[in-house]
Amino acid sequence: MTDDTRYRAHKVRREDRADGSILLHSGYEISPIAKTTGDWLHGWAETAPDRVFIAERSGPGWRELSYAEVLQQVRAIGAALVGRGMGPDTPILVMSGNGVDHGLLALAAQYVGIPLVPVAEQYALIPGAHGRLKHAVELVKPGMVYADDATRYADALALPEIAALDRLVSANAGPGMLRFEELLKDDSGVEIDTVHAGIGPGTVAKYLLTSGSTSNPKAVITTHGMMCANQAQLLDALPFLGAQPPRIVDWLPWNHVFGGSHNFNMMLANGGSLYIDDGKPTPALIGRTLENMSMKAGTIWFNVPLGFGMVTEAMKTDEALRRAVFSELDMIFYAGASLPQDVWTAMEDMAREVRGALPLMTSSWGLTETAPATMLQHEPTDRSGIVGVPLTGVTTKLIPDADMRCEVRVKGPNIMPGYFEDAAKTAEAFDEEGFFITGDAMVFVDPDDMSKGMKFDGRISEDFKLQTGTWVRAAGLRMEALKLLDGIASDLVITGADRKEIGLLIFPNLGALKKAAFETDTAENALIGPKLRGEIKRRLVARAGETTGSAALITRALVLAEPPSMGDGEMTAKGNLNFRKVLTRRAELLERLYDDADPAVITIKEG
């Protein structure tokens, strides 16, 4: 429980059913829900017309647009799109990343009922990934495609599937392309108020592509009602959002539901300000992120664990950056994986130093199909990895096994109606009671106290059986193996389905290995130097000595020379591995892994 009025105390109702399943509900009622995203925009344009809504870097400063300016431009763009014949059956495919024009186009499309389809910019920028871009075009059949810079996206814009569409660009428009500024002239003659009046909760706002980690991406139908309900649910749990306008400096990509629906709409729904961070948690771009965060203090900090780690490391020796980051911070929100405890502790120490108090440090759980937030840890906690309790209006159905590991299914106003033009997959996605089958597993933090929340425990589909019939919980084991091989593995795949032993296919962290002076030989796939080979074996042997049972014992490993290929589907746009694709594409290497005579295989056996 918490007496901090910034965050609402957990309150959970539990219902045990005769079939062994458990239903969890929030103990609070859901607040009123906006009809459309346009309601938020109109409301704040009237209440706080001069407040900055969206901004991006421009030279040494920022290009900032107020709520009033955004509404005026959204209406002009929306009218121009309708005037060009765009509508519900002519989606707009967005190839480029976050930017003010992208945001304006998204809101304008929603304002007049044109579905937006943002895809990962890697699909357009990496020639080997153009197949994913073509798949998206074939799937949603857009009537228009947008890119912020025709020069940067020239190869993708020239693809026959793209060149046949209306091509809208903000900069460096070539022949036959439509310049973004042309949409702002507001000379279409369209009665924009009449068009907007026809938009409602059931109107499609977006088709969001799933990550494709287990199959080809599907297009999730995302309605205004889903997104608006999700923001009401978040405000119910986090009252501080309504107490003062939030502000974020955020890089998380809008083709993903977390950045594009959760974060973007949180600012819009609560009259906040979104400063677009054009940096990223990579060695080449983290400097830009640090510069942006130094210039603008956020009240909420969203990031992935890697990003938090990189910024935290920089803050250790930069007092000005520490003060800029923590001076007004209400919440630190991590996603994608658990936040390492050392990073968690370091940020707590810095927050106490700067403010004398801690922000809420938290995470949530959800999927593209759930808009996304469905469970949230909205009480303070002292540890990472907890995803909390159901949000208002959500019913969570848990199907426990003998060890109280629960399969999770959900129902609520933030759940998708289905996948675009895929009745079969839609039918498979829901059970006989209408609950969405998430495929995720969770465990209770405290089985005797539901209010303590739940912890994510992997994907059901990633689990497999050994030849002995023993189940292996691959997701949890993978996280343990990554921690064990810190400084060696950038990622890895757990193997062993229908085999006698568990193994690892390791993608090496070449940068870290070089720093550690390990010798690697990439001339032949999977051959490595003796020093690295010995270190991997030493760690596996040490772990084996502390492991009981075949379900967690890793006996062998193979280091891969070729990095995962996005073009071949081994890596998703979010940077996650498609485990099935890796195992299929590298079937020969999988067989080598289980050949004790192969000199590249590292085993825990003697010799």
Side-chain angles (χ1 to χ4, degrees), residues 334-348:
Y334 63 92
S338 292
L339 189 66
Q341 197 62 41
D342 61 327
V343 177
W344 178 293
T345 301
M347 290 196 295
E348 282 190 332

Side-chain angles (χ1 to χ4, degrees), residues 269-495:
N270 297 287
S273 300
L274 169 53
Y275 284 81
I276 299 167
D277 172 19
D278 55 351
K280 284 182 181 177
T282 66
L285 293 174
I286 189 62
R288 186 66 163 185
T289 288
L290 300 178
E291 179 182 328
N292 292 334
M293 295 183 75
S294 296
M295 295 171 67
K296 287 292 177 181
T299 63
I300 302 172
W301 183 9
F302 294 111
N303 216 322
V304 295
L306 175 63
F308 281 119
M310 295 177 79
V311 177
T312 298
E313 191 63 29
M315 288 192 293
K316 290 178 180 178
T317 56
D318 190 334
E319 180 182 355
L321 178 61
R322 286 200 304 275
R323 296 198 172 279
V325 169
F326 287 103
S327 61
E328 301 179 46
L329 202 60
D330 290 314
M331 182 169 73
I332 293 173
F333 193 113
Y334 63 92
S338 292
L339 189 66
Q341 197 62 41
D342 61 327
V343 177
W344 178 293
T345 301
M347 290 196 295
E348 282 190 332
D349 292 343
M350 292 176 187
R352 289 191 182 97
E353 173 198 339
V354 173
R355 295 191 66 180
L358 296 178
L360 178 67
M361 298 179 66
T362 192
S363 188
S364 72
W365 169 83
L367 304 164
T368 307
E369 292 90 341
T370 65
T374 303
M375 301 181 76
L376 174 68
Q377 177 67 24
H378 51 86
E379 281 188 353
T381 183
D382 60 357
R383 59 186 133 161
S384 176
I386 304 175
V387 298
V389 298
L391 290 171
T392 53
V394 169
T395 299
T396 301
K397 179 161 73 171
L398 305 173
I399 304 173
D401 63 15
D403 298 321
M404 288 303 292
R405 184 187 192 230
C406 302
E407 179 194 341
V408 184
R409 303 180 180 187
V410 291
K411 183 187 291 187
N414 56 309
I415 310 302
M416 69 165 187
Y419 298 111
F420 178 63
E421 293 194 345
D422 198 333
K425 290 293 185 183
T426 298
E428 293 173 6
F430 294 89
D431 68 14
E432 67 282 355
E433 294 184 287
F435 283 88
F436 174 62
I437 304 169
T438 70
D440 284 352
M442 293 192 191
V443 294
F444 289 106
V445 173
D446 182 349
D448 297 322
D449 186 354
M450 301 296 102
S451 69
K452 294 291 179 61
M454 304 198 77
K455 295 180 65 175
F456 178 72
D457 198 46
R459 295 281 295 170
I460 299 291
S461 62
E462 293 173 10
D463 295 351
F464 59 82
K465 282 185 179 181
L466 298 171
Q467 284 184 2
T468 59
T470 301
W471 276 105
V472 175
R473 294 180 177 176
L477 188 59
R478 175 175 166 273
M479 296 306 297
E480 187 179 342
L482 282 170
K483 185 176 181 180
L484 177 74
L485 297 176
D486 182 42
I488 292 175
S490 63
D491 213 333
L492 54 83
V493 177
I494 302 289
T495 70

